[in-house]
Amino acid sequence: MHILPVLLLASLVVAPGCLSLPKKGDSTRNTIKSIINIAQTTLVHIRILRAEFPVTLQIESSAPSINGLTNISYDLGLLDNELQSPDSLSQIQADVSSLEGLVRSLALTMNCPVKAKPRGQTGDNSFPDTHLYLTLTKVQSYLDKFLLNKDKLKVC
């Protein structure tokens, strides 16, 4: 009979800690983990899509430098705009758009200056397959470099 009051008291003592909201640091860490997971998943999507091309083109693309949240957010916005047109890139565009939104949110949470989201551009689609491959190469190059510099998610 004495066990029931002890269990009740123990549950009341432990419960407030279980019900508390996550701290800002925990939230930031979780957001960074989500950003990294989405970037890794997007790279898998790109590799699968590139494997469907009948011929591998030898196109190289250099990614811009990754300096901090402000630049990452802006660069992802540019890539998001570039991914808008081809229908076959809708999943990758959704991934990049999600990444951009999470990075922008993280930057605002950390009181970083955030540039306005770049406006969409209409590109020349005279050679749609080449444009598609080049766009995938740009996104892959940027995300590879981004993952190597993921520590920049902690600075403005």
Side-chain angles (χ1 to χ4, degrees):
M1 288 294 192
H2 298 292
I3 294 175
L4 187 59
V6 171
L7 287 175
L8 181 61
L9 182 63
S11 66
L12 290 175
V13 170
V14 173
C18 296
L19 299 176
S20 66
L21 293 174
K23 296 178 179 92
K24 184 178 179 181
D26 293 340
S27 177
T28 300
R29 267 192 300 281
N30 289 340
T31 301
I32 289 172
K33 284 180 186 177
S34 294
I35 290 169
I36 292 168
N37 286 337
I38 292 172
Q40 291 169 334
T41 302
T42 304
L43 284 170
V44 170
H45 291 155
I46 290 170
R47 288 183 183 107
I48 290 169
L49 191 56
R50 286 180 75 162
E52 295 175 6
F53 278 91
V55 176
T56 302
L57 301 173
Q58 295 301 320
I59 298 175
E60 290 188 29
S61 176
S62 62
S65 62
I66 297 175
N67 299 322
L69 290 169
T70 301
N71 290 82
I72 295 169
S73 174
Y74 186 78
D75 293 338
L76 287 170
L78 290 173
L79 291 172
D80 185 20
N81 287 341
E82 213 169 310
L83 290 164
Q84 294 290 327
S85 53
D87 289 337
S88 57
L89 298 180
S90 61
Q91 178 60 54
I92 301 204
Q93 187 273 326
D95 292 344
V96 170
S97 185
S98 294
L99 268 175
E100 191 273 334
L102 280 172
V103 169
R104 181 175 290 276
S105 173
L106 180 61
L108 291 171
T109 300
M110 295 175 63
N111 297 318
C112 297
V114 179
K115 297 178 184 177
K117 189 171 179 176
R119 295 184 181 255
Q121 303 169 10
T122 316
D124 178 23
N125 286 334
S126 300
F127 302 98
D129 289 341
T130 304
H131 175 72
L132 176 74
Y133 198 86
L134 180 60
T135 302
L136 285 175
T137 301
K138 280 183 184 178
V139 175
Q140 183 176 14
S141 174
Y142 185 81
L143 292 178
D144 282 335
K145 190 171 184 178
F146 166 77
L147 288 173
L148 290 174
N149 294 283
K150 59 188 170 200
D151 58 314
K152 298 295 184 178
L153 289 170
K154 297 176 182 175
V155 297
C156 291

